[in-house]
Amino acid sequence: MPPWLAPVVRAAETVEPLQLSRFLPPESGAGRQSAVLVLFGEGEKGPELLLMERAGSLRSHAGQPSFPGGALDPEDGDPQAEGPLRAALREAEEETGLDPRGVQLFAELPRLFIPVSDFVVTPVLGWWRTPTPVGVVDPNETARVFTVPVSDLTDPANRATAVHPRGHAGPAFLVESALVWGFTAGVIDRILHFAGWERPWDRSRQVPLDWRA
C-alpha cells in the first residue's frame, strides 16, 4: 500500500468505538448486520475516496451520498468474522461494478449503529490497488458513482455542519455537486481527524436539511 495510507492504518488499529460515534450497536444484539466499503484510491489529484449516490426511490436513505455497501447475506458468512469483508466487496461490485480482485482490504473500524434504519454497520477499509471502471449498475439502487479527492474533503471551504429539522447536527462535505452528510460524513470526518489530515474549518457554517432527509 502507498505510504500515505499509513496514518489511516494506524488510526484503524487504535480508534475506539465511542471516538467514532455515540451511536453504538445495541447490547441485545438487535439490528441488521451490514457493511460498507471505505475504498481509498489514487487519482489525478492524489488520494481519493469512492462514493455513490443512492437512488431517490429507495425506502432507506434515498438520494443520499454513501459508501458502497448494504446488509449481509447468509452466503457472506459469520457477521463476527469474515462476513462484513465479503459483504462490503459483494455490495460494492453489485452497486458500482468494480472488480473486487483489484481491492486490498486492510482494516475494519468498530461496528456502528444507524438508529433510523436499524443497521449495525462495519466500515471495511480498502486500498484500490488496481482500479477498474465503475458506474451505475442498477439505476433502481444507484443514481451515480463518483470519486472525491481527499484534498477536497479536507478543504475548509467544502466543510459545514448539516442541521436536520429535528435538531440533529453533524459534519458535512460539499463536494462533487453533492452534500455528503449523516453516517457517511461522520465516518469520513473521523478518519480525517484520527489520520491527522483534518484542517481547521468553520463549524458554525450550517447547511439545513429538509424533512425528506
Side-chain angles (χ1 to χ4, degrees):
M1 292 189 298
W4 57 260
L5 261 179
V8 180
V9 176
R10 289 194 295 269
E13 291 173 345
T14 58
V15 71
E16 298 292 333
L18 281 173
Q19 292 178 308
L20 293 176
S21 174
R22 63 189 178 92
F23 296 111
L24 302 184
E27 294 182 4
S28 65
R32 302 171 63 192
Q33 295 295 324
S34 62
V36 296
L37 180 63
V38 184
L39 184 59
F40 290 90
E42 190 144 19
E44 294 181 358
K45 295 180 65 175
E48 61 185 15
L49 275 174
L50 177 68
L51 295 178
M52 50 172 272
E53 186 175 308
R54 295 168 60 83
S57 58
L58 293 175
R59 290 183 301 173
S60 178
H61 307 290
Q64 192 170 341
S66 68
F67 301 116
L72 269 67
D73 285 347
E75 59 265 29
D76 293 323
D78 187 351
Q80 305 301 320
E82 300 293 317
L85 305 180
R86 296 192 184 99
L89 285 177
R90 175 183 53 76
E91 287 282 344
E93 182 178 14
E94 292 175 359
E95 292 175 331
T96 73
L98 70 77
D99 186 343
R101 294 173 296 181
V103 175
Q104 178 180 339
L105 302 180
F106 63 87
E108 292 180 38
L109 295 181
R111 288 173 170 80
L112 305 174
F113 187 55
I114 305 180
V116 68
S117 54
D118 200 37
F119 277 117
V120 175
V121 187
T122 300
V124 177
L125 307 186
W127 158 238
W128 209 354
R129 185 183 63 249
T130 308
T132 51
V134 291
V136 174
V137 176
D138 183 354
N140 292 317
E141 291 192 3
T142 308
R144 66 173 173 140
V145 177
F146 58 101
T147 57
V148 181
V150 171
S151 60
D152 288 354
L153 294 167
T154 59
D155 186 343
N158 297 332
R159 304 214 55 181
T161 297
V163 181
H164 194 278
R166 290 192 175 92
H168 310 308
F173 300 85
L174 294 94
V175 289
E176 300 297 323
S177 303
L179 173 62
V180 183
W181 64 281
F183 175 85
T184 303
V187 171
I188 294 173
D189 172 78
R190 294 295 81 196
I191 289 175
L192 297 180
H193 175 77
F194 288 108
W197 293 346
E198 184 179 37
R199 297 166 58 188
W201 57 283
D202 183 4
R203 298 174 186 273
S204 67
R205 179 191 180 196
Q206 295 188 348
V207 176
L209 302 170
D210 63 31
W211 282 106
R212 294 170 295 175

